[in-house]
Each structure stands twice: as C-alpha cells, then as structure tokens.
Amino acid sequence: MNLWLMKSEPDVFGWDDLVRDGTTEWDGVRNHTAAGNLRAMKVGDRAFFYHSNIGLEIVGIMEVTREAKPDGDGKHWVSVELKPVEKLPNPVTLKAVKAEPKLAEMELTKYSRLSVGKVSEAEWKQVLKMAKG
C-alpha cells in the first residue's frame, strides 16, 4: 500500500464535504508531478486529507476507491476517486509538521506547492502519533 497527502482548500472542498458526500472525484490537478502521483495510486492506498490555505493542517485519512482515469484533455491530467476513512483525533498543523525533525524530509515541507505528495511509512506513523496528542 502506498501512502499519500492530498491538499484541498476547505472553503472549496473540505473534509466535512467528503464525509457528507461519501466519495469524491479528486480532479482538477494541473501539476505534472502531482498528476504522476495520481497515476501511481492504487485501490486501497491511503492518503492524508490536508486543508490548504485555510487551516493548514492534516485533518483526516482517505482511501483510494478507483484508480486514475482521464480528466480534462485526457492526455496529461487524471483524477482518482476517494472515500473518507477517519477523521484524525486532533488536526496536525503545518507548523507542528515543520517543527518535528522526523518529518524534515516530508514532501509537505519540502515542496509546499505540490498538491498531491508521497508520504513514507515512517512519516505516516509519526503524523498519526502527533494526531493522538
């Protein structure tokens, strides 16, 4: 299973919207690296849901329920389908991530503009530990 972090602006589509809808088509990604990450996703992969712009925090866990299909022009861009798994007990803020030495290499901190990034197993476990408080 691969692990990911996916960003969305909560005033556009937030965690509560995902929970309400039950699933979502994660589309509109227009960055080649992020689109490559979408293409690499497999059914059952997990992803952190990160509120960007407002909040700046990891708030929940999602699961990939459908692999990549064409989005837009069909040549460069793709979308995946996701469902909510669980809300984190406590959000993990970007400030807390940056302050944690074990997360110094996390793509969230190294590539701040990347909307879909990889997460290592060690990073995943550390974020979950931080979410427990």
Side-chain angles (χ1 to χ4, degrees), residues 53-115:
N53 270 359
I54 301 167
L56 302 177
E57 57 192 7
I58 302 168
V59 296
I61 299 172
M62 306 178 287
E63 182 176 311
V64 177
T65 56
R66 197 210 66 246
E67 294 174 17
K69 73 172 191 177
D71 178 31
D73 69 7
K75 294 178 183 176
H76 305 298
W77 313 122
V78 296
S79 65
V80 297
E81 186 181 83
L82 299 144
K83 70 176 183 181
V85 173
E86 66 179 295
K87 185 175 183 176
L88 294 182
N90 298 291
V92 178
T93 65
L94 178 60
K95 184 177 181 179
V97 169
K98 287 182 173 182
E100 173 53 60
K102 292 178 182 174
L103 299 176
E105 296 300 311
M106 192 171 184
E107 288 190 356
L108 175 63
T109 60
K110 291 182 76 170
Y111 308 108
S112 63
R113 297 187 51 83
L114 185 62
S115 64

Side-chain angles (χ1 to χ4, degrees), residues 110-128:
K110 291 182 76 170
Y111 308 108
S112 63
R113 297 187 51 83
L114 185 62
S115 64
V116 179
K118 298 173 187 172
V119 177
S120 73
E121 188 173 341
E123 292 165 345
W124 186 270
K125 288 178 180 178
Q126 182 61 38
V127 169
L128 291 180

Side-chain angles (χ1 to χ4, degrees), residues 42-56:
K42 302 294 180 200
V43 170
D45 282 1
R46 295 284 172 103
F48 284 130
F49 192 116
Y50 178 83
H51 281 166
S52 61
N53 270 359
I54 301 167
L56 302 177

